[in-house]
Each structure stands twice: as C-alpha cells, then as structure tokens.
Amino acid sequence: MSYLPRIVETELDDCLAAAGAVVMEGPKACGKTATARQRAANEVLLDVDRNARRLASLDPDTALAGATPRLIDEWQLEPSIWNHVRRAVDDRAAPGQFILTGAAVPADDVTRHSGAGRFTRIRMRPLSLFEAGRSSGEISLVALLNGSPQGAEASSLSIPELAELVAIGGWPANHGQSTSATLRSNLGYLNEIRRTDVSRVAERRADPIRVGRLLRSLARNTATEATLSKLAADVGASQITMKPETAAGYLDALKQLMVVEDQPAWSPHLRSRAILREAPKRHFVDPSLAVAALRATPKRLLDDLRFLGLLFESLVIRDLRIYAQANDAEVFHYREKGGLEVDAIVQAADGRWAAFEIKLGERWIDEGMKNLQRLAQRAPQAMRDTPSEPSALAVIVPNGYGYTGRNDVGVIPIGALGP
C-alpha cells in the first residue's frame, strides 16, 4: 500500500529542527513508523528484531550509531535506551538525532530525566477524513480560528456512507480494504489489546473477559460523561462484577496504550454563576473501536441512529484533534449543570476559540445553532483572561453545503473540514 501523507509531518519537521530527539506516540497501527520513515536516515525495529533488542540492552552506543535522524521503533520495549539517547543527544549537541516511536506510554520514572531541549513529543492518531481523501478541506480550522469567512461546495456523503466510515475507521493498513476485511481486522486489534496489551502495560495480569466487558461498556457510552462507577455498573449488568477501582486500573492501561482518549471539559475563567461540569467525555481514539467492541456492522448502525450520532460525534472529535494539534490548539467540551451543553470547543494556545455542535442531520441543526448562540451571548459577560468573542461558531454535519462567517453560526459538512 502506498504511503498516505500525514498532517503531523510538518510538526515532525519543526520538532526535528528544534530538539535532539522526537518521541512519536500513538496507538499501534496508526502509522507512526511509516511517517517516521519519511524522515529517518536509518532504523532499529525493536518490536520485530530480537538481535536489535539485545544490542540496545548490551551495547546501546552501537544501537544508536548511524546516520541521523535514526529511528528507534517501539523504544518502550527496551526502556533503558531512553537514558542512552538522552546522553547521546547531550554529547552530540545537535538537533534531529533520533526519532523514537512507541504505542504505549511507559511509567513516568522511565522518562523523568528528559531535560529541556533534548526531547519533544508528538501525538499521532489514525487517519482523519482529510488525510484519507474523504474530505476536501475547503473549510480549514486555522481559518476558523482566524475568524475568516469560508464556504464549501455541497458534500454528498450519505448516512450509509458515514456508517461505513465510522465502522472502518482511520487505520492506514485498512485503507482501501473491503468493509468485511476491515471489520475483522478491527476486531482482531481489540482482541489483542484485551488479551495481551493491557496486562503488559499494567504490569499485572488483567482478566481479558473483564477488559472486554469494559471495552463494550466504553463503546456503549461513547461521547458521554460516563463515570467510573457507571462503567463498572454497566459491566456488572452482564453478570460479571467489576469494582470501580478495577475499572480505573484497566482504564489507565487503555490510556497508556492510547486506545481511549478522554475529551476534557473546557474551563474558561468565568465571572458568571454558571456551575460547569468537569467530567471528561469518553472516546476511543477512533470510533471504529467502539464498533468493534460491540461487534456491530454498518447496517446495524443504521438501525440505531441515536448511537450512530454519538459515533459521528466521536469521529468529528478525532478529526478536530488532528487539525487542532497542527494549529497548536486543544479540543474540549462545555457543559453547565442542568443547562447549556456544546459538543466541542477548540482553543488555541493564544486563547482564540471556536465552538462547534455536532449533529447527524438537518433536523437537529437549529438546536445546535441555538446552543452556540447562547454560549456566544453569555461569553462577553462571563469570561476573563480569555477572548470573550468566539472566532467561529458552526454546526458540523455529515453533508450539504458549507458556510461560516464571523458573526453568524455556520454549517460545516465533515467532508469539507480540514486543517
């Protein structure tokens, strides 16, 4: 399969020019190695080359020798190499020496001696629709954050096509494969996580049946603020009990594997009396994993449009995270207790922000617009230390025409959204 260019490549170039080593983190199979190879001069593959792992353990200086940037793939399998890379970066005193890729975050004590200017980190996720060639990118997030009006021709993505995209996901190896083959691949991916990977990163044996039940519970609660107690109780409803602390341990392991990625609540400094909810929303790093956990199919998703709507929200959040990272921004959600709720807030490092509602069809667009207008109306009186006026407000939908303006609530088809 040919390589699909990734948005993160620009960030990788910037980081290689600024730091001695770049750490690329993300779930396995999201494309880290393929992207790193676009810039690396040579490589060491610790996950498939046993001799390389022995060399990294016994003679790390030799393992690190060679043309630069040198790719060290799945470095966390030999964590001791971290300090040797750090020392080599210090000795060479030049940027762009190493690219380290990994599909799990090691314990903090492994990387606590990083040192400023030596390492920088990049997060990778599965393909966005823009990277997969399913979005024109006519409406860009950077222009939205700049407050620039934009328009896009009508996107013809149908709801059945959307169900296919949600079920297939953004895994590069599955790009161009049949839907049935991709569904089997995604199920195998999730089975490997529950049977092997969670125990490996948790450093204790995890019950694969209970992990599987938790994955199903997370899938059923995609794009919601489900608490640990609710997730554990949901597992218990299947005749397999789980304590909240056990669920917390498994969830921490899934976060280390970067399989799940919570969407934090937006907490601007407010003068108003509104009480904000601080619970994160639950998401898999790709909605296809929720589909796999429930062994669903595109046809079954079409029979439950409410759940498909939650999965569509999760897909949009995935793409917004990729586009936001390229613009030094983050993605949050906003919810007041008993009141206003907005699906996504994208805030740049300098404070600029844009708000989005995510709706599955036209019948819900007016509701989304009203929520965004309410947020915009209270912002000037409520916020401090943050620009009170949003750069953009828009409802993101599966299809149709796209238009945005600084003073109006726009509509953005997901097939037109890009970085």
Side-chain angles (χ1 to χ4, degrees):
M1 189 189 83
S2 60
Y3 175 74
L4 294 171
R6 307 299 294 271
I7 293 169
V8 78
E9 289 175 27
T10 299
E11 185 179 1
L12 176 57
D13 289 337
D14 292 342
C15 290
L16 285 171
V22 178
V23 184
M24 299 183 69
E25 298 175 332
K28 62 183 182 180
C30 73
K32 299 180 300 298
T33 304
T35 296
R37 280 174 167 165
Q38 305 305 304
R39 301 297 187 270
N42 58 30
E43 62 187 32
V44 178
L45 308 178
L46 297 185
D47 60 333
V48 296
D49 191 336
R50 292 184 179 181
N51 288 331
R53 287 185 64 179
R54 293 191 189 99
L55 185 64
S57 175
L58 300 173
D59 188 5
D61 290 338
T62 300
L64 300 182
T68 60
R70 185 162 174 78
L71 167 61
I72 305 173
D73 193 38
E74 300 297 346
W75 74 270
Q76 80 281 354
L77 297 177
E78 190 56 54
S80 62
I81 204 169
W82 177 273
N83 284 330
H84 296 286
V85 171
R86 177 176 60 85
R87 188 176 300 113
V89 168
D90 285 345
D91 292 342
R92 298 177 188 182
Q97 297 299 301
F98 300 100
I99 303 174
L100 281 66
T101 64
V105 179
D108 289 340
D109 60 346
V110 174
T111 62
R112 68 173 178 264
H113 298 299
S114 60
R118 295 165 176 160
F119 293 85
T120 189
R121 294 176 185 266
I122 295 176
R123 185 68 176 263
M124 276 196 73
R125 299 175 178 87
L127 294 161
S128 65
L129 293 187
F130 178 74
E131 292 168 309
R134 298 305 301 264
S135 170
S136 67
E138 292 173 88
I139 296 180
S140 78
L141 183 61
V142 65
L144 290 169
L145 289 171
N146 288 334
S148 302
Q150 299 178 81
E153 295 185 5
S155 170
S156 59
L157 181 67
S158 67
I159 297 302
E161 286 176 317
L162 175 65
E164 290 268 351
L165 291 175
V166 165
I168 289 171
W171 308 102
N174 292 340
H175 187 72
Q177 301 296 315
S178 69
T179 299
S180 59
T182 298
L183 294 180
R184 286 194 299 272
S185 175
N186 292 345
L187 180 59
Y189 182 104
L190 214 55
N191 281 336
E192 186 67 17
I193 286 168
R194 71 179 181 87
R195 290 172 177 164
T196 305
D197 293 349
V198 169
S199 293
R200 176 169 55 82
V201 301
E203 298 182 349
R204 51 176 287 189
R205 187 184 181 281
D207 182 346
I209 295 177
R210 284 181 167 80
V211 174
R213 296 293 186 183
L214 179 61
L215 290 167
R216 290 175 65 86
S217 178
L218 285 166
R220 284 190 290 268
N221 290 283
T222 291
T224 74
E225 299 166 64
T227 63
L228 281 171
S229 297
K230 180 177 180 179
L231 293 174
D234 191 30
V235 171
S238 62
Q239 310 303 316
I240 295 179
T241 60
M242 179 178 287
K243 297 179 180 178
E245 52 267 33
T246 302
Y250 289 167
L251 193 58
D252 284 344
L254 292 170
K255 289 178 181 178
Q256 278 187 266
L257 292 165
M258 291 165 277
V259 171
V260 297
E261 186 174 7
D262 288 344
Q263 181 186 1
W266 193 43
S267 299
H269 295 290
L270 296 178
R271 293 191 182 95
S272 71
R273 297 179 180 178
I275 300 175
L276 302 183
R277 298 188 65 146
E278 298 180 353
K281 278 191 175 184
R282 307 290 185 184
H283 293 278
F284 284 94
V285 71
D286 191 281
S288 63
L289 297 183
V291 177
L294 296 174
R295 298 200 172 196
T297 62
K299 184 179 183 303
R300 285 183 59 194
L301 295 181
L302 292 173
D303 293 334
D304 188 347
L305 291 181
R306 182 183 177 279
F307 183 53
L308 179 58
L310 294 173
L311 292 172
F312 175 55
E313 179 178 339
S314 196
L315 179 147
V316 173
I317 296 302
R318 178 200 69 192
D319 284 9
L320 282 175
R321 281 172 166 154
I322 294 168
Y323 307 152
Q325 182 174 315
N327 292 288
D328 197 16
E330 296 179 271
V331 181
F332 304 91
H333 77 94
Y334 181 89
R335 186 173 183 182
E336 299 172 5
K337 288 188 176 179
L340 178 62
E341 179 177 359
V342 173
D343 293 325
I345 308 288
V346 177
Q347 184 169 29
D350 60 9
R352 290 172 299 147
W353 60 280
F356 305 95
E357 280 277 77
I358 302 166
K359 302 299 180 183
L360 189 60
E362 290 185 7
R363 60 187 290 190
W364 295 287
I365 288 179
D366 286 346
E367 175 190 338
M369 286 183 166
K370 289 176 182 177
N371 288 342
L372 293 168
Q373 289 166 344
R374 287 174 61 195
L375 178 63
Q377 288 168 359
R378 70 182 55 189
Q381 293 78 33
M383 296 181 184
R384 67 180 196 278
D385 302 329
T386 297
S388 59
E389 298 290 341
S391 298
L393 302 170
V395 181
I396 300 176
V397 294
N399 48 45
Y401 288 96
Y403 56 89
T404 65
R406 187 169 183 91
N407 299 318
D408 300 317
V409 179
V411 175
I412 304 174
I414 190 61
L417 185 62

